[in-house]
Amino acid sequence: MYRQSFNRGWTTGPAETSFASAVGGEDDQEVTLPHDSVRDLARSATVSEGAHTGYFPGGYFHYSKSFDVPEAFREKSVFLEFEGVYRDAVVYINEEFVAQRPNGYSRFHIKCDPYLRYGQPNSIRVEARAHLDSRWYSGAGIHRDTHLIVGDPVHIALDGVRVTTPQVDDELAVVVVAVTVVNEERFTRTMRVSTTVAAADGTTVAEGTAPVTLLPGTSASARLRLHVPRPALWDIDSPHLYVARTTLSDGEVGGDEAVDRTVDEEHTTFGIRTLQLDPARGLRINGRTVKLRGACIHHDTGLLGAAAISRAEERRIEILKAAGFNAVRSAHNPLSVAALDACDRLGMLVLDEAFDAWTKPKRPFDYSLAFPEWWERDVEAMVTKDFNHPSVIMYSIGNEIFEVGSPVGSTWGRRLAERVRELDDARFVTNAVNGLVAVPDELPSLVVGSTEGPTDINSLITALGEKINEFSASQLVSERTEESHAVLDVSGINYGDARYVPDAIAFPNRLILGTETFPGHIDELWRLVSENSHVLGDFTWTGWDYLGESGVGRTDYLDDGPKEDMLGGIHDVFPALTAGCADIDITGHRRPMSYYRETVFGLREQPYIAVHRPQFHGRAMFQTPWSWADAVSSWSWDVEAGSPVTIDVYSSADEVELLLDGAPLERVKVGGHKACVARFASAYRPGELTAVAYRAGVETGRCVLRSAGADLRVAVAADRSEIRADDRDLAYVSIELQDGEGNLASHRDRKVRVEVTGPSVLAGLGTGRTHTEERFDADFCTTFDGRAMAVVRPTGPGTIHVRVRAEGCPDATATVHAVEA
């Protein structure tokens, strides 16, 4: 079927019901999708959503567009595809109700034919709502791609090509291509389905064909069993992909001979790989055991809010993969198509998650209100979206679901798991179970001290500390959750690593996955993963920072002793913006935790220097279980020479020696403070700080930090010099304060102003600062630790110039060329 982007030409603004206002649209603005209606609204300490959504408000919004429907479409089938509308979407065509979708992350299709006016302009209007329905920043609106799809009445069904590889070995792969064909005409048709499979270089490696007869108003499936010799297998290190080109044709009389006419065509990207699972060998991909080095990620794209523009999704996967992760968990909703495509290309495994709530709410107006009626359609939408993506290896049916601790609740889990298996029996099913949530009636007896004030789950986890781990491994939790775990292929466990070893004895057939864990515990967690074959891997909370749940990973410096009662809530106060608990900040900058994790994974040989901020040296601290050291890889500090400073060096070596301007300071054994950490108590003096790592007395690597000089300039660089001039691409332009030799001046933050000229718009500007009142839609921001990031979106082909100004610095410009796609 003919498929084209439907992202351009929309207007959006605050919505009103017709009863409340017959006139509207005065505040509408032109936008290109994907778009987030909430990101540019004013944040406030008094909004009802509070820290949950980063102090952004909710709202009621509409998106409108006029589009031409040619007379030729009268003989066609016309569909619209929405990959995600947050939330409670209602769609009207020519002001007639067409469809609704409560779930904000489910892809859905609309058959437009009954509502179209041919040979004239048509209108479409989409309404979306967000209000007290999310535990994190959700944004609102049409936040994922849209498409117009047009085809003949006899056509390949939407998502009608499904590829499986039931038999694979080194010499041959059996590739089964199941093609569903729809006949919307009023007479019987016999069609021919043909598929050719092409390798990455375009070479045809397999082909097949079969006729299929369809009665009027019916659909039928043709199943082609093809054989690919010497298949190139898809895995995390070599993500080989194939393309199945499927055509649908009929025979028309042309003179004395029948002539095949192609009436439809689909191109399907897929990979050939095998998945196996058992307690002795864990997860095997193509026969090789793979431990999951996982990152939980939320759906927002940082500076762009909830807008899932393809390049933003791709860039995130690129950075996560480069940082040592080999898997992502979509917390807590299905991943976008753009992200899945990137995972396929880059070799990133996916645990795709369906829901954060079933029948019991976590926020007053969340998806639990729609779950009993809509869960099956939303599961079908997720599995259908994922089916041909080799990166997807596992589905999660929920996250920290209250119902898993009761017998009746476990029947919901069984129903969900079995429906997933009916739709896709080639992948595995898990559920991210939190023992604390599974037995909510017992929580008061666990808490020592006052229970006044907020007692949300995150705050309780903070208050209980290591007690949550002990409780998760208790007999009570084991008994209450046994049935819910039994319906799964893999037992997902949140914050319960104390279960890993004893469960191997108590439940010898159980496979375990750390679906959510504290980032600072990765040294011990990875030891457990490595030493236990039935433990498949670890997913940290989180790999990429996100908007909302503000302050989950914060560090507070205290002047007057310990923090007040932790049951007062771990969320920070306005203007806290992000969770602050991730390896990578919202701009894509790797924080020190990322390099520590890479070292623990055994993927990094070079040492890494992380300097605790000397201006806070010696002050009492409050940190949550999701926090990491408040450290920066910098030797440029605005403190007096001789000021005390703590320096951590992350290394897998035996010893680390620290030098300043080439003179030895101290040599320390690694692991005395924490695994893979050498800690130094030193004094700050500007110069060149060097860490040298030794194993068995032999140098294995070194890391050098240099203090920035007095001169200051702005350095700008685009991630790519050439981008596509379409609605799917972006240019990310990094902004750094440096001295003349390129050393980062992390201690001299200042306001920078960005001007974009050429066929483009400044789509977002900001930093990784967790507390700020600056807006992402402004043309200025204040650098954080010497850095900022600008995101530029092309509006057409041509040359784009991004000029950055900062007080006391020469202007700097980055140039990007947008070319026709």
Side-chain angles (χ1 to χ4, degrees):
M1 299 180 76
Y2 172 73
R3 180 186 183 92
Q4 71 174 30
S5 171
F6 203 61
N7 287 343
R8 295 190 185 275
W10 292 83
T11 61
T12 187
E16 288 276 6
T17 66
S18 298
F19 187 84
S21 175
V23 180
E26 294 181 0
D27 297 325
D28 288 2
Q29 59 173 325
E30 295 182 5
V31 297
T32 297
L33 306 179
H35 178 262
D36 178 4
S37 283
V38 169
R39 188 202 67 164
D40 298 341
L41 299 181
R43 298 169 64 223
S44 168
T46 60
V47 298
S48 58
E49 275 75 7
H52 289 285
T53 64
Y55 298 97
F56 283 93
Y60 173 34
F61 310 96
H62 78 92
Y63 288 75
S64 300
K65 175 174 176 170
S66 177
F67 64 106
D68 290 328
V69 178
E71 186 66 34
F73 278 14
R74 190 182 296 275
E75 305 302 322
K76 302 290 185 180
S77 295
V78 181
F79 301 87
L80 281 174
E81 177 181 74
F82 293 87
E83 292 188 8
V85 183
Y86 197 91
R87 182 179 168 270
D88 282 321
V90 182
V91 183
Y92 301 86
I93 293 179
N94 296 319
E95 292 306 316
E96 300 294 343
F97 170 81
V98 177
Q100 69 176 123
R101 194 71 178 210
N103 192 302
Y105 306 100
S106 282
R107 186 179 60 159
F108 61 98
H109 298 94
I110 294 172
K111 196 171 193 314
C112 303
D113 304 345
Y115 311 97
L116 296 179
R117 300 168 182 168
Y118 299 99
Q120 57 183 295
N122 286 243
S123 68
I124 183 169
R125 179 165 56 89
V126 180
E127 295 179 351
R129 301 155 177 81
H131 174 63
L132 294 176
D133 57 7
S134 179
R135 298 188 297 115
W136 54 85
Y137 177 86
S138 65
I142 310 177
H143 64 104
R144 291 178 176 173
D145 286 319
T146 60
H147 297 94
L148 176 68
I149 305 169
V150 182
D152 283 0
V154 181
H155 56 264
I156 298 172
L158 297 177
D159 299 313
V161 179
R162 292 194 168 196
V163 182
T164 55
T165 56
Q167 296 174 221
V168 180
D169 59 36
D170 292 340
E171 296 184 0
L172 193 72
V174 175
V175 176
V176 177
V177 182
V179 184
T180 300
V181 183
V182 176
N183 180 12
E184 294 183 343
E185 292 185 333
R186 54 188 179 81
F187 46 85
T188 300
R189 297 289 299 272
T190 296
M191 312 296 290
R192 178 164 294 277
V193 173
S194 303
T195 295
T196 61
V197 175
D201 62 1
T203 304
T204 297
V205 295
E207 55 188 337
T209 184
V212 57
T213 298
L214 302 103
L215 299 176
T218 66
S219 62
S221 292
R223 190 175 298 270
L224 305 177
R225 188 178 177 90
L226 311 180
H227 303 89
V228 176
R230 296 176 298 281
L233 302 185
W234 187 98
D235 64 23
I236 57 178
D237 299 318
S238 302
H240 296 290
L241 294 171
Y242 290 87
V243 176
R245 177 178 176 267
T246 301
T247 59
L248 179 68
S249 59
D250 64 1
E252 290 192 342
V253 176
D256 296 329
E257 298 181 0
V259 177
D260 283 341
R261 179 177 68 96
T262 298
V263 298
D264 203 356
E265 182 173 321
E266 291 287 343
H267 289 200
T268 307
T269 301
F270 70 98
I272 299 173
R273 54 113 177 93
T274 64
L275 297 176
Q276 295 167 289
L277 201 61
D278 64 72
R281 292 164 294 187
L283 170 68
R284 287 184 291 159
I285 300 177
N286 303 324
R288 178 174 66 95
T289 297
V290 175
K291 294 290 189 178
L292 300 179
R293 306 188 301 267
C296 296
I297 56 173
H298 265 309
H299 77 289
D300 77 71
T301 51
L303 306 181
L304 301 174
I309 300 171
S310 292
R311 173 55 188 163
E313 297 283 64
E314 177 185 60
R315 176 177 177 266
R316 174 161 54 178
I317 300 303
E318 288 175 349
I319 293 172
L320 288 166
K321 187 74 184 286
F325 293 108
N326 65 11
V328 294
R329 170 187 173 222
S330 64
H332 306 290
N333 43 259
L335 208 59
S336 71
V337 173
L340 290 176
D341 288 341
C343 290
D344 289 345
R345 291 192 301 270
L346 297 169
M348 181 72 82
L349 302 172
V350 176
L351 191 167
D352 211 9
E353 192 157 83
F355 307 114
D356 186 51
W358 293 349
T359 62
K360 295 184 178 180
K362 295 180 179 178
R363 296 288 284 157
F365 301 104
D366 66 15
Y367 177 75
S368 64
L369 295 170
F371 176 86
E373 179 181 353
W374 283 88
W375 73 268
E376 190 166 7
R377 280 169 283 187
D378 289 327
V379 165
E380 290 170 354
M382 178 181 70
V383 175
T384 299
K385 168 182 65 70
D386 292 0
F387 193 90
N388 293 320
H389 290 278
S391 56
V392 180
I393 61 169
M394 200 176 305
Y395 300 106
S396 171
I397 57 176
N399 169 69
E400 297 184 342
I401 301 297
F402 289 104
E403 292 91 323
V404 299
S406 75
V408 172
S410 67
T411 67
W412 274 110
R414 178 172 284 103
R415 197 176 308 167
L416 284 156
E418 290 306 317
R419 184 58 183 140
V420 170
R421 293 182 182 113
E422 290 170 2
L423 296 166
D424 184 355
D425 62 0
R427 293 177 172 92
F428 307 120
V429 180
T430 189
N431 189 359
V433 175
N434 185 324
L436 198 67
V437 173
V439 289
D441 294 341
E442 280 70 22
L443 292 185
S445 64
L446 294 174
V447 180
V448 179
S450 172
T451 58
E452 297 178 358
T455 56
D456 61 274
I457 294 299
N458 289 341
S459 296
L460 286 171
I461 291 175
T462 300
L464 292 169
E466 286 302 314
K467 197 172 182 180
I468 180 182
N469 206 5
E470 299 172 15
F471 181 69
S472 294
S474 67
Q475 186 65 26
L476 173 66
V477 171
S478 293
E479 292 173 354
R480 293 281 188 90
T481 62
E482 182 180 5
E483 186 174 1
S484 287
H485 281 298
V487 307
L488 308 169
D489 302 310
V490 177
S491 292
I493 294 179
N494 287 10
Y495 309 111
D497 50 283
R499 296 202 68 93
Y500 293 4
V501 173
D503 272 15
I505 300 171
F507 305 99
N509 296 313
R510 178 176 291 182
L511 291 117
I512 288 175
L513 180 61
T515 38
E516 196 165 312
T517 62
F518 296 125
H521 293 184
I522 188 58
D523 51 340
E524 177 60 18
L525 292 165
W526 198 244
R527 183 189 66 78
L528 290 170
V529 170
S530 301
E531 294 178 357
N532 293 278
S533 61
H534 70 290
V535 181
L536 307 185
D538 177 89
F539 282 83
T540 187
W541 191 265
T542 57
W544 195 280
D545 205 8
Y546 59 99
L547 307 178
E549 286 196 312
S550 304
V552 164
R554 78 181 192 270
T555 294
D556 284 345
Y557 292 95
L558 311 175
D559 295 320
D560 303 315
K563 192 76 171 176
E564 67 274 9
D565 180 6
M566 288 304 98
L567 289 179
I570 65 165
H571 290 141
D572 215 341
V573 297
F574 184 82
L577 175 64
T578 71
C581 58
D583 285 24
I584 300 167
D585 73 21
I586 60 171
T587 71
H589 174 65
R590 291 179 64 182
R591 302 168 71 201
M593 179 66 222
S594 174
Y595 294 93
Y596 179 72
R597 186 183 308 279
E598 188 181 17
T599 302
V600 171
F601 283 157
L603 302 175
R604 182 181 180 84
E605 192 68 22
Q606 298 298 315
Y608 179 88
I609 303 174
V611 182
H612 295 241
R613 298 181 189 273
Q615 64 267 39
F616 300 120
H617 185 81
R619 290 178 61 175
M621 296 170 57
F622 162 67
Q623 293 184 302
T624 78
W626 292 274
S627 301
W628 184 247
D630 186 19
V632 183
S633 187
S634 174
W635 198 238
S636 298
W637 298 101
D638 190 17
V639 296
E640 293 184 4
S643 296
V645 61
T646 299
I647 302 166
D648 287 341
V649 179
Y650 309 150
S651 175
S652 58
D654 301 329
E655 295 180 303
V656 173
E657 184 177 34
L658 206 59
L659 303 91
L660 184 59
D661 293 330
L665 295 179
E666 190 178 3
R667 190 159 172 159
V668 171
K669 287 187 175 182
V670 175
H673 168 72
K674 184 178 178 65
C676 294
V677 175
R679 173 159 290 184
F680 298 84
S682 188
Y684 173 70
R685 290 182 180 83
E688 182 180 273
L689 185 70
T690 303
V692 184
Y694 297 92
R695 183 178 293 115
V698 177
E699 179 179 333
T700 60
R702 60 178 56 205
C703 178
V704 178
L705 298 178
R706 296 180 180 88
S707 302
D711 55 328
L712 190 66
R713 67 185 182 94
V714 178
V716 300
D719 62 337
R720 294 169 300 148
S721 61
E722 185 175 287
I723 62 175
R724 301 183 310 275
D726 61 21
D727 51 52
R728 297 170 59 84
D729 213 349
L730 300 165
Y732 280 81
V733 180
S734 62
I735 302 167
E736 288 192 0
L737 302 177
Q738 299 178 353
D739 68 7
E741 296 182 357
N743 297 310
L744 180 68
S746 59
H747 62 316
R748 299 173 68 183
D749 285 323
R750 60 193 56 203
K751 181 183 290 186
V752 295
R753 191 171 295 274
V754 177
E755 177 187 1
V756 177
T757 56
S760 61
V761 295
L762 181 61
L765 177 65
T767 72
R769 184 177 281 107
T770 59
H771 296 64
T772 182
E773 293 189 62
E774 294 180 335
R775 299 169 58 101
F776 295 137
D777 62 336
D779 64 354
F780 66 89
C781 72
T782 304
T783 60
F784 176 61
D785 289 336
R787 294 184 174 88
M789 181 67 69
V791 188
V792 176
R793 191 175 194 184
T795 56
T799 301
I800 301 167
H801 299 286
V802 182
R803 174 176 292 180
V804 181
R805 296 183 173 91
E807 183 181 352
C809 301
D811 292 358
T813 301
T815 300
V816 178
H817 300 284
V819 299
E820 291 283 4

